[in-house]
Amino acid sequence: MDSALIGTICGFAGTMTGAALGYFGPLRLERRRQESVREAATESQIALDLDRYVRARVVADLWLDLLRRALEDSLMQRLDPAQFDTESTDHSKELRLRTAELTHIGIATVRSGTLFNLLRNATAMIKEFDILPIEEKRQNEIGIREIIMRCQLERGQWAELMLEHVRHRTGRDLALIDY
């Protein structure tokens, strides 16, 4: 009789364990799937935020490089004003778009406007510089170089601040990214 009772209890326990696993197993799998979907969405958002930061930084770097090249070309009397105007306008529009994207997700500061204005002012100064006679260009060259250097410094500070905002937003250590 004891063995029959033990058999019944073990059979009941086995049935209950099987039922519990049958019920909670898929439930646990569903929770794991939901967690992995959430993690993937978070990783995707982090990648998107980093991409937005990198795109804005690249455009600022391209505009700054354009200013450097334009100064050198102007000093050598070979700057094409129409092409310079087109490229600087394109960079201006692109940087405005990229900073708007950053602002939309909460990663922008007043520094974005400061950088943008410095780059625009430097662009206008190079346009004025280009129409000067070569003798006056040599006299004003240092001033234009200082303005470009100021743009470069502002770009570095802006990139550092933006990267800090991205770090804060993503919760990631982005120490390997140089600004």
Side-chain angles (χ1 to χ4, degrees), residues 4-174:
L5 184 60
I6 291 175
T8 304
I9 291 173
C10 287
F12 180 72
T15 302
M16 292 306 291
T17 303
L21 288 175
Y23 178 75
F24 291 113
L27 186 62
R28 187 168 180 190
L29 285 174
E30 179 61 23
R31 286 183 185 153
R32 283 184 187 166
R33 188 190 67 76
Q34 288 174 350
E35 285 177 24
S36 68
V37 166
R38 251 190 319 273
E39 288 173 8
T42 301
E43 291 299 320
S44 176
Q45 186 62 45
I46 289 171
L48 185 61
D49 290 351
L50 286 172
D51 183 59
R52 287 176 174 150
Y53 163 77
V54 168
R55 286 175 186 251
R57 193 176 131 185
V58 165
V59 172
D61 288 346
L62 288 172
W63 197 352
L64 190 57
D65 186 53
L66 174 67
L67 295 175
R68 288 187 196 115
R69 285 183 291 118
L71 175 61
E72 296 305 320
D73 288 349
S74 181
L75 287 169
M76 296 164 67
Q77 302 286 7
R78 61 178 189 185
L79 179 66
D80 179 0
Q83 182 180 355
F84 176 68
D85 191 46
T86 300
E87 288 182 37
S88 61
T89 301
D90 291 346
H91 291 316
S92 174
K93 288 177 184 176
E94 186 72 15
L95 185 58
R96 194 174 312 139
L97 173 69
R98 298 301 170 199
T99 54
E101 286 178 348
L102 290 172
T103 302
H104 178 69
I105 62 170
I107 305 178
T109 64
V110 174
R111 266 221 138 79
S112 298
T114 304
L115 174 65
F116 186 78
N117 288 333
L118 278 173
L119 290 169
R120 281 185 41 199
N121 291 340
T123 300
M125 293 175 112
I126 288 177
K127 288 177 186 178
E128 292 173 13
F129 179 80
D130 187 52
I131 60 175
L132 294 175
I134 191 68
E135 298 82 28
E136 287 185 45
K137 283 183 181 180
R138 296 285 177 212
Q139 293 171 356
N140 296 325
E141 176 183 356
I142 293 174
I144 296 291
R145 287 192 188 281
E146 287 175 355
I147 290 177
I148 292 174
M149 181 60 74
R150 187 169 171 219
C151 289
Q152 182 176 344
L153 291 173
E154 182 63 30
R155 202 263 335 138
Q157 293 170 350
W158 170 79
E160 184 178 2
L161 188 60
M162 292 297 103
L163 186 59
E164 189 58 38
H165 282 282
V166 171
R167 280 185 193 131
H168 179 68
R169 180 175 164 84
T170 62
R172 291 293 203 291
D173 180 21
L174 304 171

